[in-house]
Amino acid sequence: MLRHLSADENKRVQALDELQIFNSTQDEILDKITSLTCQLLDMPTSLITLISSNKQTIKAKQHFHLDETEREDAFCKYTIQAKEVVVCHDTATDSRFSQNPLAAGTTHIRFYAGAPLVTTEGYAIGGLCVLDTKPREFSAEQQNQLRDMAAVLMSLIESRNAIGFVDAVTHLPNRQRLIEDLSQMVDINQGYALILIDSIDITYAYEMGRSLGMPTVEKVLREVGTFLRVTFHDLEKIYCVATGRFALLVKTERKEHVLNDLARCAGQIQDSLSSHLPIKLEMYIGYSEFSAPGRDPQRLLREAMSALHDAISLNVRVRSYSEDSDRTRKLAFTLLSDLGDCLHHGVDLYLVYQPKLNVKTGDVVGVEALIRWKHPDLGEISPAEFIPLAENTTLITPLTEWVIVQTLRQIKIWRAAGILIPVSVNVSASNFAEFEFVERLQKHLNDHGLTSTDIELECLETQKILGSPDALACLHNLKRQGFTLALDDFGSGYSNLSYLKKIPAEVIKLDQSLIRDLTEQKDSQVIVEQVIAMLHKLDFLVIAEGVEDRETLHFLERYGCDEVQGYYFSRPLMPEVLVSWLVGREESAV
Ligand code: C2E
Ligand code: CA
Ligand code: CA
C-alpha cells in the first residue's frame, strides 16, 4: 500500500495515520497484550505507544497513569529511530534518559526496554515497551520475547486494519481506503480524475446469485478485479468500492489514456473470464476531476457516482461529472423524499377525475382518477414529472395503494349518491409485480363493500410489464377475478404489436400523441383509422385520450372509436365539480 513512499518522517507519520489506530476504540485486546507482556517478562508496567510528529500516544497500558506525552519525552523515540530493541538498565546513569521528566519526575522510571512496532513496509510507528521503577537486567532471551510480542502485536494491528480497508471479494482496497487516500492527497499542483466503473448490472448480479449462488457471481467479480488490476498495474490506484463497481484514481495527464484503455478492454473483460457463464458484463464509466488537496472526499465520490449514473441512464460508455444533471438528480431526490413524506402523512396529494364518454351515445361511461400534488414550496407538480421518478423506486407501491384507497372512498360516496359509473386508476408495471397485489386490492374492495366491477385498471409501462413474468401473471389473475384491464398509452414508443396477444386487456387506450395531429396530418388519420380497425378485429374496445376539439371527435367517430376522453369534454375535475358537471349534462340532455 505504501511501497512507493520513501522512508522519511512524513511518510512514517502517514503510515501511522493510515493504520487508523488512533481513533479505534476496541482497545481491549491491546490491553490484554500489555498484560501478557508484563506477565511474560515479569514487569510491573507495559505500554503500547504510537509516536506521531509531536506526540506520544499511550494506546494501551498496565499500571501507568499517562495517556500521552510530548514526543520529546518518549522513551520509545529511541526505539523507533533504532528500529531495534532498545534497553536502558538504569535511567539515572544513562545520558539519553537521565534528564527525562518521566525518569526524573514523579514517575520515577528507572528501567526501560522497548521493541519497535514496524509496518510491513518498514515504518516504525511506535513501540511495545516495559518499564520499572527500579534498575533491572534484561536478558537476550527477554529481548527476543519482547521483539516477538511486538511482531505479533503489529501483525494484529495490520490485519485489523486490512479487514476494514480491503474488499472481501476482490481483495482490492475498498471504498473506505479510497476515501482515506483522497483525504491524504496533499500535492496542490496535481490534477486528478476519480474514475468509477460499473462492470455488472447489480440487480442482474443478485438475480444470478439467486439462481447460481453468490460464490459463482463473486468469482466473476474477482476475475473482473484481477483483469483491471493486470491492465492498469502500478500506474493507477485501483479500488473496489461496491459490488461490481471499481474505481481508479489517476493523474489528469493519464486520464485520456486510461479512459481509452478502459474502452478498449470493455469487450475483453467477458473473454478474460475463466467461466463461460451467461453473465452479462457491462462497462459504464463516470468520472469527476479535481485537484489535490481534494475537496471533501465523500463529495468527490458522490460526483463521480453522479457521472456514472448519467452514463448508465443515458446508456453511453463514458460520462464526466455535470453540475446540471447533478442538480436535476438532486431535485429529483428532493421530490422523491418529499413525496414519501406526503404519502406517509397523507397530505398535499389529491385526486381529480376526468370523464370518459361513449362516442355513439355521448353517455359518460366512466371516469379516470388522476393524481395531483400541491407541493408547499414548489406549487403544483405534474404527475408527468413525479410518477416516472416514483416508478423507479419502491415509492410507487404506497403511491398506487394511496390512489386505490382514495378512489374506493370516492366511489363509495358516489355510489351512495346514485352515481354508478366505474372509475379507473393508473397502475404501474412494478405494482403488478408486487407481492400479493391482487389480494391487497381485493381486501381494499371488501373493506369498502365494492367489487371488481367498480374499478378499472389502466396498465402503464407496457414494455416493462412484458419483461416481467410476475407482472404478466398478475394481470392474468386480475382478469380471472373480473377486473377490466386497459392498456394505456398505446402507440407511444413500443411498436411491436405481437404483445397484444400476451396481455389479457380488453380495452386499449390510444395515446395522445396519435390523436394530437389527427385533424392536420393525413398520415395520422390513416394510422389511427387502421389501428382502430385492427384493434376491433382483435376484439378490443378502443378509447382515445387527449381529444381537444370537435373535429378530432368527428374523425374518431368516423373511424368507429368506442370511447373518448379529453379537454373537449372536460378537464380532470375535483370530485364535487365532477358531480355538478354530470348533473349539468343530464339536465341539458333532458
Ligand atoms: P395518462 O394516464 O395517459 O393520463 C392522461 C393525461 O393526459 C393526464 O395528464 C390528463 O390530465 C391529460 N389529458 C387529458 N385530456 C387531455 C387533453 O385533451 N389534452 C391534453 N393535452 N392532455 C389531456 P396528467 O394528469 O398530467 O397525468 C400524466 C400521466 O401521469 C398520466 O398519463 C399517467 O401516466 C400518470 N398518472 C397520473 N395519475 C396517476 C396515478 O394516480 N397513478 C399513476 N401510476 N400514474 C398516474
Ligand atoms: Ca391513464
Ligand atoms: Ca396516455
Side-chain angles (χ1 to χ4, degrees):
M1 119 184 77
L2 291 164
R3 229 174 295 275
H4 57 293
L5 301 175
S6 66
D8 63 18
E9 175 61 9
N10 274 345
K11 308 295 184 196
R12 189 193 71 80
V13 172
Q14 192 179 342
L16 178 58
D17 285 346
E18 289 192 7
L19 280 169
Q20 295 267 310
I21 31 181
F22 281 122
N23 44 16
S24 70
T25 48
Q26 318 159 265
D27 290 342
E28 247 175 59
I29 298 205
L30 300 190
D31 282 339
K32 280 191 182 139
I33 289 185
T34 52
S35 161
L36 263 176
T37 309
C38 284
Q39 286 173 39
L40 180 73
L41 299 170
D42 188 25
M43 290 281 169
T45 300
S46 167
L47 312 178
I48 295 172
T49 68
L50 301 171
I51 312 281
S52 68
S53 48
N54 55 354
K55 286 227 164 323
Q56 162 176 256
T57 303
I58 318 277
K59 192 62 196 159
K61 58 189 178 184
Q62 295 296 314
H63 305 116
F64 196 71
H65 64 289
L66 296 174
D67 291 325
E68 62 174 35
T69 73
E70 292 303 313
R71 177 180 169 141
E72 262 323 289
D73 303 336
F75 290 179
C76 284
K77 80 177 180 195
Y78 296 105
T79 309
I80 66 166
Q81 264 163 22
K83 279 205 196 161
E84 239 317 318
V85 171
V86 168
V87 180
C88 167
H89 299 286
D90 185 354
T91 56
T93 58
D94 189 320
S95 61
R96 292 173 298 178
F97 300 98
S98 57
Q99 297 308 311
N100 188 301
L102 296 176
T106 50
T107 325
H108 296 306
I109 296 171
R110 293 289 295 277
F111 172 82
Y112 167 86
L117 298 173
V118 184
T119 64
T120 27
E121 285 86 2
Y123 300 118
I125 57 162
L128 172 66
C129 65
V130 284
L131 306 168
D132 202 346
T133 48
K134 52 182 197 277
R136 291 185 69 140
E137 288 307 310
F138 204 60
S139 68
E141 191 193 341
Q142 284 178 308
Q143 292 190 30
N144 281 338
Q145 286 170 334
L146 185 61
R147 192 180 292 113
D148 289 350
M149 247 351 217
V152 168
L153 170 60
M154 198 56 223
S155 74
L156 173 87
I157 292 172
E158 286 196 315
S159 63
R160 247 197 210 176
N161 184 59
I163 290 166
F165 285 96
V166 170
D167 175 64
V169 173
T170 58
H171 303 306
L172 285 169
N174 66 6
R175 178 191 155 113
Q176 279 72 26
R177 178 84 271 157
L178 171 65
I179 296 288
E180 269 304 304
D181 286 356
L182 284 169
S183 61
Q184 304 279 339
M185 299 176 103
V186 286
D187 185 357
I188 304 174
N189 302 315
Q190 179 64 55
Y192 286 90
L194 174 60
I195 302 179
L196 287 187
I197 305 154
D198 234 14
S199 64
I200 193 164
D201 176 347
I202 195 64
T203 327
Y204 181 75
Y206 284 123
E207 248 171 61
M208 294 294 295
R210 272 212 310 272
S211 39
L212 300 173
M214 263 334 257
T216 313
V217 178
E218 286 175 349
K219 179 165 180 273
V220 172
L221 294 177
R222 199 159 29 246
E223 288 187 11
V224 174
T226 307
F227 177 86
L228 291 173
R229 196 166 16 195
V230 170
T231 312
F232 294 101
H233 6 215
D234 284 342
L235 270 174
E236 339 296 342
K237 281 191 161 189
I238 175 159
Y239 306 80
C240 179
V241 290
T243 308
R245 184 168 288 179
F246 300 89
L248 287 166
L249 196 50
V250 308
K251 292 188 169 164
T252 305
E253 55 270 25
R254 294 264 310 147
K255 184 196 80 190
E256 282 310 317
H257 183 77
V258 168
L259 289 175
N260 287 339
D261 271 1
L262 280 171
R264 196 170 36 77
C265 65
Q268 298 167 4
I269 290 193
Q270 190 94 39
D271 302 335
S272 78
L273 300 181
S274 61
S275 54
H276 293 285
L277 290 167
I279 284 192
K280 229 179 10 192
L281 288 175
E282 52 192 27
M283 170 93 76
Y284 288 110
I285 298 159
Y287 67 90
S288 68
E289 293 185 77
F290 64 99
S291 53
R295 290 168 293 168
D296 173 3
Q298 296 285 2
R299 178 173 159 187
L300 286 175
L301 186 57
R302 201 190 61 69
E303 288 180 358
M305 212 106 90
S306 165
L308 178 61
H309 285 153
D310 280 351
I312 295 170
S313 56
L314 298 167
N315 196 19
V316 294
R317 172 133 306 143
V318 186
R319 208 77 194 166
S320 67
Y321 170 69
S322 136
E323 238 177 274
D324 278 354
S325 71
D326 195 41
R327 208 173 299 119
T328 313
R329 196 183 302 286
K330 274 194 199 144
L331 177 67
F333 185 77
T334 310
L335 279 188
L336 280 173
S337 130
D338 292 352
L339 182 60
D341 287 346
C342 290
L343 284 166
H344 188 69
H345 298 111
V347 293
D348 301 333
L349 297 169
Y350 58 100
L351 293 178
V352 287
Y353 299 86
Q354 188 179 36
K356 304 175 184 182
L357 291 88
N358 180 301
V359 176
K360 282 200 192 102
T361 63
D363 292 340
V364 177
V365 287
V367 289
E368 175 179 7
L370 292 157
I371 195 166
R372 293 292 175 265
W373 182 11
K374 192 166 169 48
H375 191 284
D377 305 322
L378 304 169
E380 288 284 349
I381 302 174
S382 161
E385 197 174 333
F386 67 85
I387 293 287
L389 295 176
E391 280 173 342
N392 282 325
T393 69
T394 49
L395 259 195
I396 196 65
T397 304
L399 186 141
T400 301
E401 185 114 356
W402 182 87
V403 170
I404 289 173
V405 171
Q406 294 304 310
T407 302
L408 295 180
R409 276 189 199 156
Q410 189 57 59
I411 299 177
K412 216 176 152 192
I413 295 171
W414 281 336
R415 294 293 181 264
I419 299 169
L420 302 175
I421 46 178
V423 184
S424 55
V425 291
N426 290 283
V427 183
S428 302
S430 54
N431 294 132
F432 293 118
E434 280 162 18
F435 178 65
E436 294 189 337
F437 176 78
V438 186
E439 289 78 357
R440 276 182 288 135
L441 179 58
Q442 284 289 12
K443 183 178 176 302
H444 288 313
L445 284 165
N446 290 341
D447 291 348
H448 290 83
L450 299 168
T451 71
S452 56
T453 54
D454 289 303
I455 192 164
E456 287 182 5
L457 305 175
E458 297 195 6
C459 312
L460 304 172
E461 307 179 287
T462 309
Q463 196 169 351
K464 240 171 144 185
I465 294 179
L466 289 163
S468 162
D470 288 348
L472 276 174
C474 174
L475 289 187
H476 284 282
N477 191 1
L478 286 164
K479 166 104 180 176
R480 279 196 300 277
Q481 314 239 357
F483 288 93
T484 301
L485 302 175
L487 270 198
D488 211 341
D489 302 331
F490 183 87
S492 74
Y494 197 53
S495 57
N496 182 349
L497 295 182
S498 60
Y499 71 81
L500 286 174
K501 289 184 290 193
K502 287 198 195 156
I503 295 189
E506 289 155 45
V507 181
I508 303 284
K509 215 165 173 185
L510 301 185
D511 191 63
Q512 296 181 20
S513 56
L514 286 178
I515 309 303
R516 205 178 297 135
D517 312 321
L518 205 53
T519 52
E520 275 143 38
Q521 302 262 338
K522 182 88 181 100
D523 298 356
S524 295
Q525 294 163 10
V526 175
I527 292 170
V528 172
E529 182 172 16
Q530 295 306 318
V531 164
I532 292 176
M534 173 196 75
L535 291 173
H536 277 163
K537 276 193 191 133
L538 294 169
D539 287 333
F540 289 109
L541 186 137
V542 183
I543 171 164
E545 66 179 359
V547 180
E548 292 188 352
D549 48 54
R550 183 203 291 260
E551 245 189 309
T552 307
L553 173 65
H554 285 163
F555 276 108
L556 290 165
E557 207 170 2
R558 200 175 319 142
Y559 303 150
C561 184
D562 304 290
E563 293 173 4
V564 276
Q565 181 182 354
Y567 294 171
Y568 176 59
F569 310 99
S570 168
R571 286 186 174 257
L573 302 170
M574 294 295 284
E576 319 72 67
V577 185
L578 178 84
V579 173
S580 326
W581 184 87
L582 286 169
V583 171
R585 272 186 75 84
E586 259 175 39
E587 282 171 357
S588 63
V590 172

